[in-house]
Amino acid sequence: MNSANVLHVCAGQSSYRQISRRKLFPAVVFMAMVKLSLTIAAQSRYTELFPSDPSFRGYFGNSVDIELGYVLVAAPGHYHGLTYGGPDVFNTGCPIYFYLQDEYAGWNQELELFASGQQHDDFLRSCESQGGELIIGAPGDNDYGPHSGTARVYEHDGSGWIERLRIVPAENGGNQVALFGYSIASSGDWIVFGARGDNWPNQTGSVYLFRRYGDSWHEVAKLVPAVVSVGAELGTSVAIEGTVVVGGAYNWTAGCDPAVGGTAYIWEEVPTGDWVETAQLCHADPVPGDAFGISVDISGGLIAIGAYRRHNYRGSVYLYEKVGAEWVEVDELQPEDDDLHPDFGFSLDLEGDLLVIGAPAAEAKASFTGAVDLHLYDGVVPGAVYVFERRRAGWKQVEKLWRDAGESGDQTGYSVALSGGLAAAGAISDDVGTLENAGSAIVFEVGRGTRYCSSRENSRRAAAQIAATGSLSIEENDFRLHASPVPIEQPGTFVWGSQRPVPPFSRERLCVGGELFLMPFRLSKGEVLFGEVDFTVPPFVGNVIAGSRWNIQAWFHDPWGSPRWNSSDAVSVVFEP
């Protein structure tokens, strides 16, 4: 969950990603968190989000994010306090609303953040949390040249969020239309920024790598491929995990055969401390216009790359793993239904054994249920979100989710975010009342069981989240666990308890109690600790039976943190025959 968990906020016309059949309009900026109300959908439970003051062409849901326990939603076209925003109307506030979930009262607004100096040419578009800070991209910022872009670092001073500093590339002074900060991803003390418009007017794009030293961020490298293609827009999407950086260039016109199919680049840190280009990824059968690289992510050493125009806008997501010294394509995922043009892969977020994929032009139909696909089309094309899980036999689609009240053109799935067992998706063109394209979003749970308790920040500068996936059937024997982010290549385990301790939790946040047993220790892969369960062997055989409830928590070594052993939150599951 290193790149898709990025809030794309307040993008101007030059920053919009165009999808196949909807034109987006110039917009002034607004970023908001909205109060949620619970809706029980026919195909799944989800929570629907609307802005408290929707506006004409507000495009609320242009990006969604889940950071520091908050759910955030962007509305880049919103005109605060107005029902119509003409081309000469300017927003000077760009507020950010933070909401936290209360166990009894639902989601409540906690605070409101205003970006300083917000003008029409200063579009906040992306956000990443890092060590308790919020780092927000402003690719349309003109302070260092027309649309050169900056990133702003906010920290909480005990009473509110304040802007502490701005991150600017060393060469930004004369680098107009670079759109630095268009995309952001972080891992530990590292953060990468996409600058998709870099090298204007050629727009080849680039990726910038920064590292934290104390309270400051220092530029380490500007990552540019050896072969440069005009109009590639490298940096439209970025991802990082440990010593691996991925940059998407969906308009790439060279290096793949045939051209104009898009590509993604990989840079890796070598023992000298340098970051070197190690691979250019193109899928096995590229076709002009695939838009391969429109979305990228990396988790647990697995890379996911979206190509939403593949197969005439049906779309695909490609998966890559490193085998020896080579990055190898290991799977191509597609919707498991008859939808012909869903734009599958336009957005995605990967975390451990879970993959959420946006398809903003998908049809509304009955949810996918196992091996039976009902194919109940009603002619409505509101967009949808697909949820995939990794099983013993490979990746499997387990759900297709859309808004029950959705209408054609809503573009649900234009943006997606994933954190632990919580996911979100934006529907930027949803009409609210008479307000065209005001936008909306949904939040929904993924995985199995009920999550509870809370975790503390570890040395990866984030709190580890647990997720349970696969089947709860003991007979099927296909249950999996993962926790992320955790320290790289460190031992860890999953602690199972028959009971929950009574809060406040004790013993370094131990959230499980009663009869306890531990799974075998194993090393984390990337920033993910995986746990594959086999009910036919100890300690599961005889302990985990049909109808039994178990509470599970990850526990892992953190040699660079305090304490040296840390834990995730917990999940409670009931197993079936």
Side-chain angles (χ1 to χ4, degrees), residues 353 389-393 447-450 466-482 494-496 517 519 522 530-535 540 544 548 550-553 571-576:
D353 295 321
E389 292 182 355
R390 178 160 36 192
R391 302 290 183 89
R392 292 187 190 277
R448 306 292 176 269
T450 302
I466 192 172
T469 61
S471 173
L472 296 177
S473 168
I474 295 175
E475 182 179 356
E476 291 183 14
N477 198 20
D478 197 3
F479 180 70
R480 303 174 70 96
L481 297 160
H482 72 259
F494 290 89
V495 184
W496 292 51
F517 67 81
M519 293 178 61
R522 63 189 305 175
F530 290 99
E532 187 169 332
V533 176
D534 186 349
F535 293 128
F540 306 104
V544 183
S548 63
W550 287 92
N551 308 291
I552 311 168
Q553 183 178 24
V571 63
S572 181
V573 295
V574 178
F575 291 95
E576 303 168 355

Side-chain angles (χ1 to χ4, degrees), residues 228-268:
V228 179
S229 169
V230 173
E233 297 188 60
L234 172 65
T236 296
S237 57
V238 294
I240 181 172
E241 184 180 52
T243 59
V244 180
V245 170
V246 186
Y250 77 106
N251 275 333
W252 191 258
T253 60
C256 294
D257 186 17
V260 205
T263 190
Y265 275 89
I266 297 178
W267 291 268
E268 298 182 64

Side-chain angles (χ1 to χ4, degrees), residues 62-211:
N62 177 71
S63 186
V64 293
D65 198 9
I66 304 170
E67 295 286 354
L68 301 174
Y70 300 102
V71 174
L72 300 92
V73 182
H78 189 91
Y79 295 84
H80 189 55
L82 301 175
T83 57
Y84 179 85
D88 297 325
V89 178
F90 295 89
N91 180 2
T92 59
C94 194
I96 304 171
Y97 296 95
F98 292 75
Y99 280 73
L100 284 174
Q101 187 177 31
D102 180 84
E103 182 177 358
Y104 303 102
W107 291 85
N108 297 302
Q109 182 177 327
E110 293 291 314
L111 57 93
E112 184 177 5
L113 172 66
F114 286 85
S116 61
Q118 182 66 30
Q119 297 293 333
H120 182 62
D121 59 2
D122 186 10
F123 306 110
L124 299 181
R125 191 186 188 277
S126 52
C127 176
E128 182 81 358
S129 68
Q130 243 279 352
E133 295 180 333
L134 287 177
I135 304 170
I136 301 175
D141 194 335
N142 292 334
D143 289 354
Y144 300 90
H147 299 286
S148 55
T150 62
R152 301 169 183 189
V153 179
Y154 290 83
E155 66 179 3
H156 202 279
D157 65 356
S159 59
W161 291 89
I162 59 172
E163 183 180 323
R164 186 172 66 82
L165 59 88
R166 297 193 180 189
I167 299 175
V168 182
E171 65 178 19
N172 212 19
N175 196 1
Q176 64 177 354
V177 201
L179 300 176
F180 172 84
Y182 185 86
S183 56
I184 304 177
S186 69
S187 176
D189 287 327
W190 296 92
I191 190 162
V192 291
F193 299 92
R196 60 173 284 190
D198 197 13
N199 192 27
W200 178 265
N202 294 323
Q203 289 186 286
T204 53
S206 63
V207 175
Y208 288 87
L209 181 65
F210 283 72
R211 185 172 186 178

